[in-house]
Amino acid sequence: MFGIFSIHQLIISNSTIRQKLSAASSQNGSLSDNTNWAQSGNGTASDDGKLLNAALVALVRNSELNDMRSTIRQIEDRFNRNHGYPYIFLNDEDFTRMYFGKLPQEHWGLSPYVTEEKVKEALERNKDRYLYGGSFSYREMFIHKHPLLQNLDYYWRIEPGVEYFCDILYDPFKYMRDNNLIYGFTITPTESAPTVETLWKTTREWMLENPHLLPDKSFIHWVVNERAKYTLCHFWSNFEIVDLSFYRSEAYESYFQHLDRAGGFFYERWGDAPVHSMAASILLKKEQIHWFEDIGYHHPGYAHCPNKPEMNSRCVCKKDLDYMYKSMCNRRFGEVGNIYKDQALALAQMGNDRNM
């Protein structure tokens, strides 16, 4: 049973969340409309004490009470006790003894572009091929259209059972806004190749069909190398801070719908992490994507512990256990840069010519 949190101020009902978000909206206004999502922010550093239209958002099951309490206790201690941003908890079933958001069937159920029989066959076929190969819910972690998120300009994805190692002495939401950033991350591993066997092929198809939706420059070289081969690099979405106008943009929606029609969310295991990462890389410039190096973080499997003295002095973690300073994908993130649209389209065409 999902019991009541021990910290009273963390028990936030749907109506309270809406009131807080509405109040924040009236104080701060909203970001640019979807046609101008890449230019949001005013480019100045400021901290006037006002909250942005932002929230900490978690996908959580009733069985994950203790792990979620641990995450919230750390978030509060490390950051949010000084700010008071609301929490939004989303579940695929009713919460017990609490009133939070439930994911509607159209956001969480089977896509209309796949058949139940084939999905069951795919889950059975893949259950022993890779982690979560037989999990239906793992394939349905795209939550940006939930009604509780409609008034948000930014969200920060949090998860049960993660650790935050460092005090965060500034507001990451405002840092994103003030520096014209769209996507923020902490950890960048490689994806398991069998889970995304046709993701790059399907992405190439969308790019060649929709060149008008591609930006003049993009960071595609992070996910695709000079030989048009998918690097499998992705941002781990269990931590992501995002300007939500990106996920609401025409380009992202078109791309997502193309992927949905292809069926790979269910027939393979296209998770939100590789999809968000591919979308950010083909639709954003490098300078719109930010590594929060100073936010020490652990999710089962990988950990990041800042090794720079000015960062590590605010952390409690073992530097020798760090993953990010050894990560091939992080190294590539630092080495490659933007390329022009015609070069990106050439990569997509090269992949088609090689039938990859």
Side-chain angles (χ1 to χ4, degrees), residues 49-339:
K50 295 181 180 179
L51 299 184
L52 299 191
N53 302 332
L56 299 127
V57 180
L59 281 168
V60 59
R61 297 182 179 92
N62 292 327
S63 60
E64 296 173 312
L65 165 64
N66 287 333
D67 287 343
M68 195 69 247
R69 289 175 67 182
S70 175
T71 297
I72 292 173
R73 177 72 276 168
Q74 292 181 64
I75 287 284
E76 286 296 303
D77 288 346
R78 295 297 195 181
F79 163 69
N80 202 40
R81 64 179 176 176
N82 297 318
H83 299 276
Y85 280 105
Y87 292 80
I88 296 176
F89 301 100
L90 301 175
N91 197 344
D92 60 344
E93 58 186 29
D94 288 326
F95 281 109
T96 53
R97 296 176 60 196
M98 302 194 76
Y99 298 94
F100 294 127
K102 183 177 178 180
L103 289 158
Q105 192 66 23
E106 62 269 24
H107 292 175
W108 194 257
L110 203 64
S111 165
Y113 304 107
V114 299
T115 65
E116 184 175 1
E117 181 180 354
K118 287 185 177 181
V119 170
K120 288 180 178 179
E121 291 175 358
L123 295 179
E124 180 64 27
R125 181 174 64 254
N126 293 325
K127 69 179 183 180
D128 296 321
R129 293 183 66 210
Y130 41 75
L131 188 64
Y132 305 119
S135 170
F136 179 84
S137 62
Y138 188 91
R139 291 156 165 83
E140 283 293 328
M141 299 177 73
F142 300 88
I143 58 175
H144 65 277
K145 291 186 177 181
H146 193 280
L148 285 176
L149 275 65
Q150 286 182 353
N151 289 332
L152 297 181
D153 292 332
Y154 298 88
Y155 85 168
W156 179 341
R157 271 284 301 277
I158 61 175
E159 279 211 356
V162 300
E163 296 178 88
Y164 287 83
F165 298 138
C166 309
D167 290 336
I168 304 168
L169 304 181
Y170 62 99
D171 186 334
F173 294 123
K174 292 181 180 179
Y175 184 86
M176 295 280 289
R177 178 200 63 187
D178 294 345
N179 290 279
N180 298 309
L181 298 168
I182 304 297
Y183 191 95
F185 68 96
T186 57
I187 292 181
T188 56
T190 54
E191 181 60 284
S192 172
T195 70
V196 287
E197 289 175 325
T198 63
L199 178 58
W200 170 226
K201 173 182 177 294
T202 309
T203 300
R204 293 196 313 263
E205 295 169 351
W206 179 82
M207 291 173 64
L208 294 172
E209 292 172 7
N210 297 276
H212 62 290
L213 294 177
L214 298 176
D216 293 337
K217 291 182 181 180
S218 74
F219 194 46
I220 188 175
H221 256 177
W222 186 64
V223 289
V224 180
N225 68 19
E226 296 76 6
R227 300 182 300 280
K229 181 176 176 59
Y230 182 18
T231 66
L232 299 174
C233 289
H234 67 287
F235 308 118
W236 238 7
S237 58
N238 45 71
F239 175 108
E240 61 177 15
I241 303 178
V242 186
D243 177 341
L244 285 169
S245 57
F246 173 52
Y247 291 156
R248 297 167 184 149
S249 68
E250 178 186 1
Y252 181 86
E253 179 65 18
S254 173
Y255 175 58
F256 183 87
Q257 292 300 327
H258 182 85
L259 297 184
D260 196 18
R261 288 191 293 271
F265 293 117
F266 300 92
Y267 298 149
E268 297 179 22
R269 197 206 70 183
W270 299 351
D272 58 337
V275 169
H276 288 179
S277 304
M278 185 71 77
S281 299
I282 65 175
L283 297 175
L284 299 177
K285 296 188 285 291
K286 181 177 183 177
E287 53 267 31
Q288 295 173 305
I289 304 172
H290 180 67
W291 176 29
F292 281 98
E293 182 180 1
D294 59 325
I295 298 182
Y297 179 77
H298 171 250
H299 181 284
Y302 297 105
H304 168 59
C305 181
N307 66 6
K308 295 178 180 177
E310 67 275 17
M311 297 179 181
N312 190 263
S313 63
R314 296 185 281 102
C315 307
V316 179
C317 54
K318 296 180 180 179
K319 291 186 284 186
D320 58 343
L321 297 179
D322 182 76
Y323 168 76
M324 280 297 282
Y325 297 116
K326 310 171 204 173
S327 165
M328 177 277 289
C329 292
N330 189 43
R331 184 169 62 252
R332 185 171 180 83
F333 184 86
E335 293 173 351
V336 302
N338 299 317
I339 63 173

